[in-house]
Amino acid sequence: TIEYLTGDHFFYLAFWRIDGIIPYWKDSDSTFFYIEKHCTEKEDCLGWMQVTNRRDGKTGKATSILYNRISLNYNANGGIQSKTNPDAKGIFRKLVLSWQKLPAYLKPVDTGETYPTQALRFQEPSKRSTKSGKKEYKDVLNSLIDFKPAVEEAYDGSKLKYYYDDEFGKTTEVNVLTRWHIVKECLVQGETVIGKSLHTTTAEEMEEKGGQAAKDMWDESDMYSALESGREMTISGLLRWFKPATHGLEGYIDEYGYSVVEDPEKPVKGINGKTIT
């Protein structure tokens, strides 16, 4: 079977590393990247939301896309928020570890830090001026990727090319819907969408773990309701996808990367070499 890969999906499979491991192709990831491509090309869309099962690799895919968006554009800023500041810092650390493993031709000029802890800046390294020498500047991106605390106003006033919101369904420190109403202004200039976003989470208890605000955000992202009301886009500016846990579930993927959803009539060889019955 021939499968179409988007550019982001190819980059993820060919160059990105998840905890030092090369990711493999699976059908549910293709759906993920197809939706990302659709949202990127839809001019009035600010991004999308995904609810998925644990251990789906959502963080790896998200950081791969975030890096791709920022490292391919001049004067582009990428931001990360999660349910807490340590969580956002952990995601940034994973991005840095993957960036370190990239070949040199996929690493634009940066400030020279071997292990950035606050921001990955694609800027020229600092140089001291000398009396005799005239300072020359390289052609650099002047772009950056950073992370912020979970607070609602963390990115207020910023201009973002790409924003990653991790575990929006588990965030209890702030109201994620209120936070999104602030962040979305960072992705537009007037009526023009200049940036996109990705929001991922697993499903959680509705009250104690911040699920209700996430549900409100989910409800504002219903495209069917928007079309029925005569609108071309949702209230939130986002689209949404609920990925069934049966798709892309570890241990139930055949040797070619396809999900085994129903009980097979005959045993199937899994991608991990084990038999799926």
Side-chain angles (χ1 to χ4, degrees):
T1 301
I2 297 176
E3 295 282 353
Y4 168 71
L5 297 181
T6 68
D8 283 322
H9 198 176
F10 174 81
F11 175 82
Y12 171 72
L13 292 172
F15 302 109
W16 212 238
R17 298 294 176 265
I18 312 301
D19 298 326
I21 300 173
I22 300 172
Y24 57 83
W25 182 91
K26 58 181 180 180
D27 53 3
S28 61
D29 281 357
S30 273
T31 305
F32 177 97
F33 284 103
Y34 295 157
I35 296 172
E36 172 65 27
K37 182 176 176 63
H38 173 71
C39 293
T40 300
E41 295 178 350
K42 186 172 173 56
E43 292 183 358
D44 58 351
C45 179
L46 292 171
W48 63 292
M49 311 168 66
Q50 181 198 26
V51 174
T52 182
N53 55 289
R54 287 178 174 81
R55 300 298 177 188
D56 182 54
K58 57 184 182 296
T59 302
K61 295 191 285 287
T63 53
S64 172
I65 293 170
L66 175 60
Y67 180 85
N68 230 359
R69 292 290 178 277
I70 305 307
S71 65
L72 291 174
N73 287 280
Y74 286 96
N75 303 306
N77 296 328
I80 300 168
Q81 282 186 295
S82 187
K83 60 183 184 291
T84 65
N85 186 51
D87 286 300
K89 186 174 183 178
I91 292 170
F92 179 76
R93 178 179 179 273
K94 289 182 178 182
L95 184 146
V96 168
L97 292 174
S98 297
W99 162 75
Q100 291 174 333
K101 299 295 183 181
L102 291 174
Y105 60 85
L106 291 175
K107 299 169 76 172
V109 174
D110 59 75
T111 53
E113 295 178 79
T114 56
Y115 192 85
T117 58
Q118 299 298 321
L120 178 56
R121 303 176 187 274
F122 300 113
Q123 301 167 352
E124 189 170 3
S126 299
K127 294 180 182 179
R128 291 189 176 183
S129 299
T130 60
K131 293 182 179 179
S132 58
K134 183 179 180 181
K135 189 177 279 189
E136 295 182 359
Y137 295 92
K138 295 180 181 179
D139 182 20
V140 294
L141 294 181
N142 285 320
S143 299
L144 70 85
I145 300 171
D146 68 2
F147 64 94
K148 298 283 188 185
V151 297
E152 295 165 354
E153 301 85 3
Y155 278 108
D156 189 21
S158 303
K159 184 184 288 186
L160 296 173
K161 181 72 175 178
Y162 204 85
Y163 169 75
Y164 176 42
D165 179 12
D166 169 64
E167 297 293 8
F168 69 91
K170 294 181 179 179
T171 303
T172 58
E173 293 185 359
V174 298
N175 184 300
V176 291
L177 180 58
T178 302
R179 186 172 72 185
W180 169 239
H181 287 162
I182 295 173
V183 171
K184 68 191 295 187
E185 297 301 322
C186 303
L187 304 172
V188 298
Q189 190 164 327
E191 294 184 350
T192 304
V193 175
I194 60 172
K196 303 287 183 176
S197 65
L198 173 62
H199 311 252
T200 63
T201 191
T202 53
E204 289 296 337
E205 198 278 329
M206 293 301 291
E207 293 296 338
E208 294 182 3
K209 295 189 176 181
Q212 186 57 57
K215 178 62 164 54
D216 294 340
M217 191 171 162
W218 180 267
D219 291 341
E220 286 194 4
S221 306
D222 184 1
M223 193 64 191
Y224 293 107
S225 296
L227 294 173
E228 289 174 358
S229 302
R231 299 191 307 271
E232 294 183 0
M233 193 54 206
T234 62
I235 296 173
S236 68
L238 302 171
L239 300 181
R240 67 188 196 182
W241 179 42
F242 184 94
K243 186 185 81 67
T246 52
H247 290 70
L249 183 64
E250 290 297 323
Y252 296 91
I253 303 170
D254 71 18
E255 61 183 316
Y256 302 108
Y258 293 98
S259 301
V260 180
V261 178
E262 305 294 340
D263 290 340
E265 295 181 3
K266 297 180 180 180
V268 174
K269 184 178 180 180
I271 201 163
N272 56 5
K274 298 181 179 179
T275 301
I276 302 171
T277 57

